[in-house]
Amino acid sequence: MTAISELIQRDGLVVVCGSGGVGKTSVSAALGVLAATQTQKRVLVLTVDPAKRLANALGLSALGNTEVQITPELFKNSKTKLRGSLAAAMIDTKASWDELIIRHAPDEATRNTVLQNSLYKNLTERFVHSHDYIAVERLYQAHASGAYDLIIVDTPPSRNALTILDAPKRMQDFFSSRLLKLLTPSSQWQLLALAAKPFYEIADRLLGKGLLRDVAEFFTLFRTMETGFVERARNVEQLLHDSKTSFVVVTTLEDAPLSEAEFLVTALKERNFTTSFAIANRVIPKELKSAALLEQAEVLMRLRNNAEFTSELASTLTSSETEIDASLLSQTMATIANYAQATTQIIEYQTALTDRVAAFADNFASAPMLETDIADIDGLIALGESLNIG
Amino acid sequence: MLDRKLLFITGKGGVGKSTVAASLARAAVAQGKKVLLCEMDAKGALSKLLQTTELAFVPREISPNLSAMTMNTQDALREYVGIFLKTPFIAAIPGLAGIFDFVADAAPGVKEVLVVGKLCYEVRKGNFDIVIVDAESTGHIVAQVAAPTTLRNFVPIGPLNEQTLWMTEILEDPQKTGVVVVATCEEMAVNEAIDLVAALQSKTNVDTAAIVVNRVPSEVFTKSQEVVFAQLNLAKNKSIVAKKIGSNIDLALQATDLGRARRNLATHHISWLRSGLAEMRPIKDFLLLPDFSYEASDVLVNKLSSELEAELS
């Protein structure tokens, strides 16, 4: 079993995935903070959709598409200090697409026509899982720049997280697809285009005249960028398969996210991706043990009915500012006992699910349920440390 | 809200859209309605929740008065072409159906119209009293319910354009259609819910029927009990109490305190949600559902549907 402490010692990439609402973004940021405080690495955290408070926790009013260095100043009130460096950016899909078009367009005219095409925005938002592609593309960019030793990318919530891994392949497939060739007639495809005539006729009847022509025009221009895009997608794909790339699958100890995590970890193994970690987030703190809780609940339940005891304890607890009533104390003791008991049920439920995680994941760490949202750097440090311990 | 004909259940990923959709469907059945439950993204969560076999495009009755289906653009296109255009299906030309699907991806509104059209068609046919949709998450729903209008602006002529008119009539009638926005007591889920309601109100004419806050932790103490707990939990009192009791109760106090903290955080997020919504047009229903996330799926749906029944009656 590899520990998180070893993961952050490696140079390379960490892809954080999992279903929505499990705390991927916080875990990504915490891993980044952990690496930048425990090692001398230059660390970058790329996130898709940070909560405003999380951006604030990183000392930023908001995250943008460009990378921002976190200043050591942010750590001035913390016991833990930056040893390496930490940068963060939010992946803005539209802005990233624009950059891609600008980079790959053969000339200014093509570039401007594409960027101004009415279909363009719609396409970048929807086709070939463009968010997933952009996430891995940004990861590649940051890696290729050589400016970082460790890059952590928080992936977009995916119906099926594997789409992220398939995104570069799909981009390559898209350029070699019949669709693109149909829509962008070149000499050897003229014959097929002729065969597609009924298709155009029906499409015109369905969609309205001319719509398909606009689509074709866009794709014709897009095809001029094929070489750049395909080569890039191939590089991105290679990088994902590199042994320097690790995968972290975040889950909570609940049935649905756990099933998705299991599916993902298993699929990663089958596809021979490098070490994957499962992180169970929001686990009841370890020091809360079922047996002890039940024992304490039992004592409280027994004593709450003892009138002599409750009136004595009530008077002990009564101070000059607060008067404690014996029957109220008895009720409160019952509530505490009930709560302790209810907690044991959650612990048992979580323990059973933890066993499930341990069965499918070779590497496993957990983070405790927090009492508040993470609002500052100390919150991220604390989350990172609990992951580090396991 | 169950008196409407078409409900879209949406919210941030992970808030429990499918669970709420399934529970609302059960609650509607309990009210004597004939219900169609539709899953939008074929992720299979609904069939798992309802403990039934995989769902298909053709609605299947899975329990008395409850039918379920899963949406599929290809099938929706096939049905659309067959019903409205009386055109032999283009699948006759090999490979073109798939390509059409790809093109439909590019033009704004086409795919959404096929999908929304199918749902409106089920409403129009009237085989069910209510159609409940386990819709896509917040990012998509605005585009979806506004699709007929979007497409009309994009393709000013053609049969698809004409077909969008009757869909709009159903979608924009608050007696018939409503969006149910689900959130949990978490910062991101609440912010997305507020943004979504703002977008629905400013970009569409589709009514927001309800806000559902899912997984609300229950209150631990009454106000007067809080005072007692604070005294018991005071560092200086802990050893005194332990001595009196004859054993340590630290863990019981810690567990209770964790529950209190979760509840306080939830209350904070709920009031943030309320104040965010206060700036917008009023929404009829604001429902809080208890936290049953540690229950098995079937128990969860049963418990939530009884909660909803009670809340809505």
Side-chain angles (χ1 to χ4, degrees):
Chain A
M1 173 147 157
T2 317
I4 290 290
S5 54
E6 288 171 57
L7 179 79
I8 56 155
Q9 294 292 341
R10 294 179 191 162
D11 282 354
L13 313 171
V14 176
V15 181
V16 181
C17 34
S19 43
V22 296
K24 278 194 296 283
T25 308
S26 306
V27 167
S28 306
L31 285 174
V33 170
L34 184 70
T37 54
Q38 302 285 314
T39 75
Q40 293 182 327
K41 288 185 199 306
R42 299 166 300 164
V43 182
L44 169 67
V45 178
L46 286 171
T47 177
V48 267
D49 194 15
K52 189 144 180 27
R53 283 161 70 103
L54 191 65
N56 292 345
L58 288 168
L60 305 163
S61 57
L63 283 168
N65 202 37
T66 43
E67 294 143 31
V68 182
Q69 282 292 332
I70 312 291
T71 60
E73 179 77 351
L74 183 67
F75 291 77
K76 70 173 190 292
N77 296 324
S78 309
K79 273 191 226 133
T80 311
K81 303 289 175 204
L82 265 186
R83 290 177 61 203
S85 70
L86 180 63
M90 189 188 88
I91 299 169
D92 176 333
T93 304
K94 177 70 169 67
S96 300
W97 263 109
D98 291 353
E99 280 172 27
L100 276 181
I101 298 292
I102 291 165
R103 176 159 355 100
H104 293 307
D107 52 63
E108 208 173 322
T110 310
R111 183 180 81 191
N112 293 340
T113 319
V114 172
L115 290 179
Q116 280 154 28
N117 188 295
S118 64
L119 290 172
Y120 168 69
K121 188 173 175 290
N122 189 57
L123 274 165
T124 52
E125 277 174 6
R126 299 221 320 259
F127 93 127
V128 285
H129 296 264
S130 103
H131 294 278
D132 299 330
Y133 181 72
I134 287 296
V136 287
E137 160 69 31
R138 284 295 304 272
L139 186 66
Y140 179 82
Q141 259 178 43
H143 171 74
S145 76
Y148 304 100
D149 306 309
L150 180 67
I151 302 160
I152 297 161
V153 65
D154 165 30
T155 58
S158 255
R159 187 175 312 157
N160 172 349
L162 288 175
T163 57
I164 290 159
L165 307 177
D166 296 335
K169 181 82 177 69
R170 253 196 320 272
M171 180 57 80
Q172 295 172 51
D173 290 348
F174 172 71
F175 277 103
S176 57
S177 68
R178 283 177 65 188
L179 165 71
L180 201 58
K181 288 179 176 146
L182 264 177
L183 292 177
T184 57
S186 62
S187 53
Q188 80 247 46
W189 284 91
Q190 284 295 326
L191 207 66
L192 214 137
L194 203 67
K197 211 166 164 259
F199 165 66
Y200 276 92
E201 276 169 7
I202 293 165
D204 275 355
R205 282 183 62 189
L206 279 172
L207 299 167
K209 268 206 165 15
L211 176 62
L212 210 58
R213 263 199 309 279
D214 290 350
V215 177
E217 188 185 79
F218 169 76
F219 281 126
T220 309
L221 292 173
F222 198 61
R223 259 198 106 182
T224 61
M225 294 179 257
E226 175 168 357
T227 324
F229 262 97
V230 168
E231 193 187 292
R232 188 56 164 243
R234 206 171 288 140
N235 290 341
V236 171
E237 196 185 7
Q238 260 167 25
L239 181 66
L240 284 177
H241 276 277
D242 195 282
S243 61
K244 281 183 183 161
T245 303
S246 315
F247 291 85
V248 168
V249 182
V250 185
T251 180
T252 50
L253 292 176
E254 287 160 295
D255 195 42
L258 192 71
S259 298
E260 184 153 336
E262 176 167 14
F263 170 74
L264 191 56
V265 169
T266 314
L268 285 169
K269 266 196 230 172
E270 278 169 11
R271 291 166 179 225
N272 295 318
F273 279 102
T274 318
T275 342
S276 56
F277 286 80
I279 290 181
N281 198 12
R282 301 189 196 131
V283 180
I284 297 270
K286 288 192 173 74
E287 64 268 26
L288 293 176
K289 298 260 189 280
S290 278
L293 277 172
L294 281 177
E295 230 167 79
Q296 296 183 5
E298 206 178 306
V299 172
L300 283 165
M301 275 316 222
R302 182 158 36 86
L303 290 174
R304 71 160 291 220
N305 290 323
N306 182 333
E308 198 184 333
F309 174 83
T310 50
S311 69
E312 213 183 293
L313 185 59
S315 65
T316 312
L317 290 174
T318 297
S319 65
S320 50
E321 300 100 55
T322 338
E323 201 193 315
I324 301 295
D325 172 78
S327 73
L328 199 58
L329 173 64
S330 169
Q331 286 167 28
T332 310
M333 286 166 73
T335 309
I336 296 170
N338 286 333
Y339 216 87
Q341 209 158 26
T343 306
T344 64
Q345 280 165 16
I346 302 176
I347 292 170
E348 271 152 39
Y349 180 85
Q350 290 200 342
T351 310
L353 293 187
T354 306
D355 292 345
R356 248 178 83 188
V357 179
F360 70 73
D362 299 331
N363 308 298
F364 167 66
S366 67
M369 186 181 279
L370 298 175
E371 293 191 0
T372 56
D373 290 337
I374 291 177
D376 55 17
I377 194 71
D378 285 331
L380 288 174
I381 292 171
L383 178 57
E385 275 164 8
S386 60
L387 287 172
N388 202 23
I389 296 161
Chain B
M1 67 170 128
L2 293 178
D3 291 331
R4 303 192 197 209
K5 298 287 166 202
L6 178 57
L7 284 181
F8 291 89
I9 319 299
T10 184
K12 183 182 185 296
V15 296
K17 282 187 292 291
S18 303
T19 322
V20 171
S23 308
L24 272 173
R26 281 268 160 81
V29 170
Q31 287 187 359
K33 293 191 160 63
K34 213 169 162 226
V35 182
L36 173 62
L37 187 55
C38 174
E39 177 171 70
M40 283 308 241
D41 60 3
K43 62 184 175 186
L46 264 189
S47 57
K48 208 176 161 204
L49 275 172
L50 298 166
Q51 297 186 302
T52 182
T53 50
E54 213 173 301
L55 301 172
F57 184 71
V58 179
R60 184 179 85 230
E61 189 164 32
I62 52 172
S63 62
N65 289 327
L66 177 60
S67 297
M69 63 170 282
T70 186
M71 185 55 76
N72 177 322
T73 327
Q74 277 294 320
D75 288 325
L77 174 66
R78 194 180 294 257
E79 192 177 271
Y80 171 81
V81 171
I83 295 170
F84 295 106
L85 301 178
K86 316 245 181 311
T87 303
F89 186 54
I90 48 172
I93 308 162
L96 284 186
I99 287 170
F100 190 90
D101 199 39
F102 223 123
V103 177
D105 242 342
V110 174
K111 215 162 189 175
E112 284 86 355
V113 161
L114 287 172
V115 161
V116 159
K118 164 68 178 169
L119 297 167
C120 291
Y121 180 63
E122 288 297 335
V123 170
R124 199 168 81 163
K125 266 201 303 189
N127 288 347
F128 301 97
D129 298 313
I130 184 169
V131 178
I132 296 175
V133 187
D134 176 11
E136 299 187 53
S137 47
T138 36
H140 253 86
I141 190 79
V142 172
Q144 208 150 54
V145 294
T149 312
T150 311
L151 190 72
R152 255 206 313 284
N153 296 334
F154 200 81
V155 191
I157 44 161
L160 200 58
N161 177 322
E162 287 152 30
Q163 288 299 336
T164 58
L165 283 169
W166 67 268
M167 295 179 196
T168 310
E169 265 165 36
I170 292 175
L171 290 167
E172 295 187 353
D173 181 351
Q175 304 291 321
K176 288 186 178 147
T177 303
V179 177
V180 175
V181 178
V182 185
T184 52
C185 319
E186 282 156 13
E187 187 190 5
M188 294 286 279
V190 163
N191 286 343
E192 274 202 30
I194 294 172
D195 292 347
L196 175 61
V197 173
L200 281 168
Q201 293 193 351
S202 63
K203 292 181 186 164
T204 78
N205 294 317
V206 182
D207 188 49
T208 306
I211 303 290
V212 175
V213 188
N214 194 17
R215 295 194 212 126
V216 181
S218 53
E219 189 171 55
V220 179
F221 290 121
T222 62
K223 267 216 170 74
S224 46
Q225 286 184 358
E226 276 289 342
V227 180
V228 181
F229 176 78
Q231 285 298 108
L232 283 169
N233 206 26
L234 267 184
K236 70 176 172 78
N237 283 346
K238 277 188 176 167
S239 58
I240 303 170
V241 173
K243 203 175 278 174
K244 282 244 183 263
I245 290 180
S247 83
N248 198 318
I249 55 160
D250 279 5
L251 293 183
L253 290 174
Q254 194 191 335
T256 315
D257 209 22
L258 186 64
R260 281 178 68 246
R262 287 189 61 213
R263 166 73 186 185
N264 288 342
L265 191 59
T267 315
H268 165 79
H269 288 313
I270 292 168
S271 52
W272 175 249
L273 176 58
R274 282 190 195 275
S275 64
L277 294 172
E279 292 161 19
M280 293 174 232
R281 280 203 299 280
I283 295 162
K284 198 164 158 276
D285 287 312
F286 190 99
L287 307 179
L288 301 179
L289 296 178
D291 187 5
F292 294 130
S293 46
Y294 298 105
E295 304 280 1
S297 312
D298 52 330
V299 182
L300 176 68
V301 173
N302 284 339
K303 285 196 171 180
L304 276 185
S305 59
S306 348
E307 275 304 316
L308 280 165
E309 260 176 81
E311 286 262 1
L312 291 172
S313 62

